[in-house]
Amino acid sequence: VAKLLDGKLCAKAVRVRIRTELAALEGRALRPPHAVFIQVGDNPASTTYVNAKSAAALKVGIRSTIGRLPSEISQTELLAGIAAHNADEQVHSILVQLPLPPHIDTRAVIEAIDPRKDVDCFHPINVGRMTVGLPGPKPATPQGILMLLEHYGIQVSGKRAVVLGRSNLVGKPLALLLLERNATVTMAHSRSANLGEICREAEILVSAVGKAGLVTADMVSPGAVVVDVGTNHVPQLGSDGSLLEEQGEPLLQLVGDVDFPAVEPIAGWISPVPGGVGPMTIASVLWNTLTLYKALELD
Ligand code: NAP
């Protein structure tokens, strides 16, 4: 049976490291670390993410400000707000929660953030820096996955890694970071032929697709490390297979892309959903805040 890649436990260890690093900087007359989170509109998922990131920042001793802006805000006003945070020396990181309302040009917003404060690593300058191996923030989820593997002493160098999904958010940067750590990387996506065959070659298999049940037991080679990034809300079933409901609404359950009960007996390691990559993404945002803070205050 696979050993668990416990994201909650590992995220806690990352938070301890951040607190230790911040404590070591105390007494150096630096500005206190300050993260700004901007939410446009009131999408409930965005509210949850922003609140979780802000609370996590406070927990490690990083001051946090949430800017909640109305969904009707004009692009000009939003860009002016970002410019003010860019210019504010008391602010070390800026995160604009996506998605943005359709009348706003997301690309323009991403590119308006000062790359030195770009905690999500979405700015093309930071994407470029990462691509050529320069220091700086790294995309949160991929960096969180690497921290998780490192925490459990899982070697990446020389391994065959398969990444399912090629988004700019997860799949593509993860493949680059695995390559930088000397894995032999294959990227697969919706047009890949023979997905099962490709996956069976993986010693490290990461699924970042968003399809419940995509990774089945026959796609996993014995002993493989399986990392499940997917987050899918599926109807919850009772023990007799019937749909569970509450006040006439179907009860939903959060699952990943991997058929966990079927894959767990085969894999060497497996990350659960929830409690795997999710907590690591938040810890990774905090790690980036520390990275940006040190670069702004010490360099
Ligand atoms: P995305 O932008 O929708 O990308 C999904 C990728 O999966 C695409 O590259 C797509 O291929 C590929 N794909 C679709 N169907 C496929 C199939 N049948 N076989 C193989 N590949 C397939 O999604 P994302 O933003 O990368 O997120 C992926 C999942 O991770 C989502 O469930 C998201 O909620 C979750 N997520 C979780 C966290 C976390 O912290 N836990 C963070 C980020 C994302 P094409 O490019 O060919 O269309």
Side-chain angles (χ1 to χ4, degrees):
V1 174
K3 285 177 266 189
L4 208 63
L5 296 165
D6 186 336
K8 277 195 205 160
L9 206 71
C10 180
K12 204 169 165 187
V14 173
R15 288 198 299 270
V16 170
R17 268 172 77 187
I18 295 171
R19 259 190 248 112
T20 309
E21 287 223 22
L22 288 175
L25 295 173
E26 268 172 25
R28 291 190 57 174
L30 308 175
R31 284 173 277 258
H34 182 193
V36 168
F37 301 93
I38 298 172
Q39 181 183 355
V40 183
D42 53 6
N43 173 328
S46 293
T47 305
T48 306
Y49 293 140
V50 163
N51 287 345
K53 289 172 199 170
S54 170
L58 291 171
K59 228 169 159 177
V60 295
I62 295 172
R63 185 182 152 205
S64 154
T65 302
I66 300 182
R68 293 194 203 281
L69 304 172
S71 58
E72 321 78 65
I73 192 169
S74 72
Q75 172 145 332
T76 312
E77 282 174 290
L78 178 57
L79 294 182
I82 292 171
H85 292 308
N86 284 342
D88 185 347
E89 290 191 333
Q90 307 293 334
V91 171
H92 301 93
S93 76
I94 304 167
L95 183 152
V96 179
Q97 185 65 45
L98 302 183
L100 291 168
H103 68 279
I104 299 215
D105 177 356
T106 302
R107 205 15 76 194
V109 170
I110 288 172
E111 292 185 17
I113 297 173
D114 183 335
R116 294 171 310 159
K117 299 189 178 185
D118 168 34
V119 75
D120 262 336
C121 189
F122 288 166
H123 195 290
I125 287 189
N126 286 327
V127 176
R129 288 178 67 87
M130 172 192 63
T131 306
V132 294
L134 288 172
K138 304 283 179 284
T141 302
Q143 174 172 257
I145 292 168
L146 292 178
M147 286 172 160
L148 189 60
L149 297 178
E150 198 184 304
H151 179 85
Y152 285 99
I154 293 165
Q155 203 198 323
V156 171
S157 181
K159 295 276 171 62
R160 289 199 69 111
V162 172
V163 178
L164 301 181
R166 56 173 164 180
S167 70
N168 289 329
L169 188 67
V170 190
K172 217 183 279 176
L174 176 64
L176 272 171
L177 293 179
L178 287 166
L179 183 65
E180 196 185 68
R181 279 159 184 74
N182 301 314
T184 303
V185 185
T186 301
M187 295 178 72
H189 43 79
S190 68
R191 315 284 177 89
S192 298
N194 305 324
L195 204 61
E197 211 171 286
I198 294 168
C199 291
R200 277 189 293 279
E201 293 218 333
E203 294 169 277
I204 299 174
L205 175 62
V206 184
S207 185
V209 171
K211 280 200 164 68
L214 176 75
V215 177
T216 48
D218 61 314
M219 294 163 80
V220 176
S221 80
V225 178
V226 179
V227 178
D228 195 349
V229 185
T231 52
N232 311 291
H233 290 94
V234 298
Q236 214 172 320
L237 302 179
S239 50
D240 60 350
S242 64
L243 271 180
L244 294 182
E245 292 187 357
E246 200 175 64
Q247 292 168 350
E249 294 288 325
L251 273 178
L252 296 179
Q253 180 187 6
L254 177 64
V255 298
D257 292 344
V258 177
D259 180 352
F260 190 94
V263 170
E264 193 188 21
I266 300 164
W269 293 89
I270 190 165
S271 74
V273 177
V277 174
M280 289 312 298
T281 297
I282 296 180
S284 180
V285 170
L286 298 181
W287 187 257
N288 278 344
T289 308
L290 175 70
T291 304
L292 298 175
Y293 175 64
K294 288 199 295 190
L296 282 165
E297 291 289 329
L298 302 175
D299 291 353

